[in-house]
Amino acid sequence: MTIDLKKFASAGAILAALTATPALAQEMGEWDANQDAVVDQQEFNTGFGENDAFGGWDEDASGGISEEEYNTGVTSSFDEDESGDLNEEEQAAQDESQWADEEYSEWDADASGDLNEGEFNEGVFGTYDEDDSGDWNEEESASYQEEDEGWFDW
């Protein structure tokens, strides 16, 4: 499978693969505005928004992420060698990740056919909120820190 990486020639894993966007690493404490040791959806939206992850995936700058852009973003996030293709190891990493069960249509809450920034942020946040508590704690952070090092290096 060949992926047109255009803007997505990045060096992180998952969703990490947004090389056209600014470095997405942040300290968890920097996102935890109220210092309660967890990051809630609002804190996430602020921190993640500052990193322009949405803009990196919105390849055509239309203001919405199409299903094709979403699939390209997810797949290219696992393209660690930036070859444009997933080798067996990279494909296995994607298949075993929390992203394997994510469905574009579930993120598209208004069924418009494009993800707006709020839907995108909620989808990413929900993917990593493993216990569905409405916040990320350090334990959850540890489960994706290595996989998605380009986005969340805390």
Side-chain angles (χ1 to χ4, degrees):
M1 160 174 46
T2 302
I3 304 293
D4 179 8
L5 294 180
K6 293 181 188 170
K7 294 183 190 177
F8 300 123
S10 93
I14 226 214
L15 261 0
L18 302 172
T19 44
T21 63
L24 296 176
Q26 294 285 325
E27 292 295 322
M28 186 173 186
E30 291 178 28
W31 287 22
D32 184 15
N34 64 4
Q35 299 300 302
D36 63 354
V38 296
V39 174
D40 63 29
Q41 180 75 58
Q42 183 176 0
E43 292 167 327
F44 174 83
N45 291 348
T46 300
F48 203 56
E50 289 174 1
N51 290 331
D52 194 32
F54 180 81
W57 282 43
D58 182 15
E59 190 174 52
D60 63 4
S62 67
I65 296 174
S66 68
E67 188 166 3
E68 181 179 339
E69 290 169 324
Y70 171 86
N71 290 333
T72 298
V74 171
T75 300
S76 65
S77 296
F78 290 92
D79 186 20
E80 291 186 25
D81 63 6
E82 301 177 21
S83 67
D85 294 310
L86 295 185
N87 61 37
E88 285 184 40
E89 184 178 318
E90 292 165 339
Q91 184 65 57
Q94 179 179 343
D95 292 344
E96 295 169 8
S97 76
Q98 52 269 67
W99 291 92
D101 295 329
E102 294 301 312
E103 294 290 333
Y104 178 86
S105 61
E106 292 176 15
W107 287 27
D108 187 15
D110 64 5
S112 67
D114 284 319
L115 300 179
N116 62 43
E117 189 166 7
E119 291 168 331
F120 179 70
N121 288 352
E122 288 178 23
V124 173
F125 181 86
T127 298
Y128 293 108
D129 181 16
E130 295 172 352
D131 63 4
D132 295 320
S133 65
D135 56 51
W136 288 354
N137 58 40
E138 287 193 39
E139 185 177 311
E140 290 170 323
S141 172
S143 74
Y144 57 78
Q145 181 178 12
E146 211 171 283
E147 177 182 324
D148 300 337
E149 63 189 50
W151 279 12
F152 313 108
D153 288 342
W154 39 57

